[in-house]
């Protein structure tokens, strides 16, 4: 499987799922309560929901540029800054959904083999704390970007679920219903 065929559909479907969870929060809760969720944290030493959303978007966007061997555009730095400051300036659910939509638009604009360069091409991945990881393109996709993306996605899910938003397993795997064999959906009791 190519990196484009693995990453782009995964990011796209799960970002749409994340936007759907935020929409459920917006429609299920009083407006102020829904917006306050953006400041909610799973644990005191973790980033809030607003940051989890932005960092999930960062993972998808960074992968596009790193795997094509391109410099990261300033927009990723801005998204990181928004995320790091999410506790003080969480924005709105519509803002978060806008960031998701921007990320999906980037993914939708890619050529069919956009991320399929050299699988052994070296990628130097530096973190703000000074740590640097030396990876191949394949290592980066498998061991960094996908796990980090799912980490932020699942923390967002846990924050929403833990704060009373009615999301469950079917909301997490909503994309799987496209593969459901006709006549096999259990009937409601």
């Amino acid at each position: 499987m190519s990196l484009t065929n693995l990453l782009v559909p995964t990011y796209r479907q799960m970002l749409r799922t994340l936007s759907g969870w935020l929409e459920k929060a917006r429609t299920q809760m009083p407006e102020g309560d829904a917006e306050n969720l953006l400041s909610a944290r799973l644990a005191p030493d973790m980033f809030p929901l607003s940051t989890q959303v932005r960092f999930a978007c960062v993972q998808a966007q960074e992968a596009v540029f790193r795997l094509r061997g391109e410099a990261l555009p300033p927009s990723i730095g801005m998204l990181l800054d928004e995320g790091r400051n999410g506790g003080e300036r969480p924005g709105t659910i519509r803002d978060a959904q806008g960031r998701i939509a921007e990320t999906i638009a980037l993914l939708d604009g890619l050529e069919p083999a956009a991320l399929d360069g050299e699988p052994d091409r070296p990628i130097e991945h530096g973190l703000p704390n000074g740590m640097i990881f030396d990876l191949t393109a394949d290592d980066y996709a498998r061991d960094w970007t996908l796990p980090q993306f799912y980490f932020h996605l699942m923390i967002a899910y846990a924050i929403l679920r833990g704060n009373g938003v009615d999301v469950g397993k079917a909301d997490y795997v909503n994309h799987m219903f496209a593969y459901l064999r006709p006549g096999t959906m259990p009937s409601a009791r």
Side-chain angles (χ1 to χ4, degrees):
M1 179 176 282
S2 75
L3 292 181
T4 304
N5 288 338
L6 172 66
L7 296 175
V8 173
T10 299
Y11 290 144
R12 189 182 295 124
Q13 71 194 17
M14 295 312 296
L15 287 167
R16 286 182 180 137
T17 295
L18 177 58
S19 187
W21 299 341
L22 294 171
E23 189 62 21
K24 276 193 157 196
R26 196 184 67 70
T27 60
Q28 289 176 8
M29 304 179 88
E31 186 174 337
D33 292 347
E35 298 298 333
N36 288 339
L37 284 178
L38 292 166
S39 296
R41 299 169 189 262
L42 188 59
D45 64 339
M46 295 180 79
F47 284 117
L49 176 60
S50 62
T51 301
Q52 303 302 334
V53 171
R54 283 165 176 82
F55 284 3
C57 293
V58 165
Q59 290 305 316
Q61 289 185 30
E62 272 192 6
V64 167
F65 294 97
R66 288 188 191 281
L67 291 170
R68 292 191 306 188
E70 298 173 3
L72 300 180
S75 60
I76 291 178
M78 291 170 29
L79 193 54
L80 283 166
D81 287 341
E82 280 182 17
R84 290 182 188 119
N85 295 309
E88 295 81 39
R89 293 187 300 280
T92 66
I93 288 178
R94 293 285 188 219
D95 294 336
Q97 289 176 311
R99 292 300 186 217
I100 293 168
E102 290 167 4
T103 304
I104 292 170
L106 172 69
L107 297 169
D108 287 347
L110 294 175
E111 296 295 320
L115 310 180
D116 299 338
E118 304 168 49
D120 293 328
R121 186 177 57 77
I123 292 179
E124 179 183 296
H125 183 62
L127 300 181
N129 65 6
M131 293 172 32
I132 299 173
F133 295 97
D134 293 314
L135 307 152
T136 66
D138 278 355
D139 296 335
Y140 173 78
R142 180 192 62 235
D143 299 333
W144 180 262
T145 190
L146 270 179
Q148 290 295 314
F149 175 77
Y150 273 106
F151 172 83
H152 295 296
L153 186 79
M154 291 315 304
I155 297 303
Y157 176 90
I159 291 169
L160 290 165
R161 177 92 190 244
N163 282 279
V165 179
D166 184 19
V167 291
K169 183 78 174 244
D171 296 295
Y172 180 73
V173 295
N174 194 38
H175 58 278
M176 291 300 298
F177 290 106
Y179 305 107
L180 184 66
R181 183 177 294 170
T184 64
M185 176 71 102
S187 59
R189 294 181 187 187

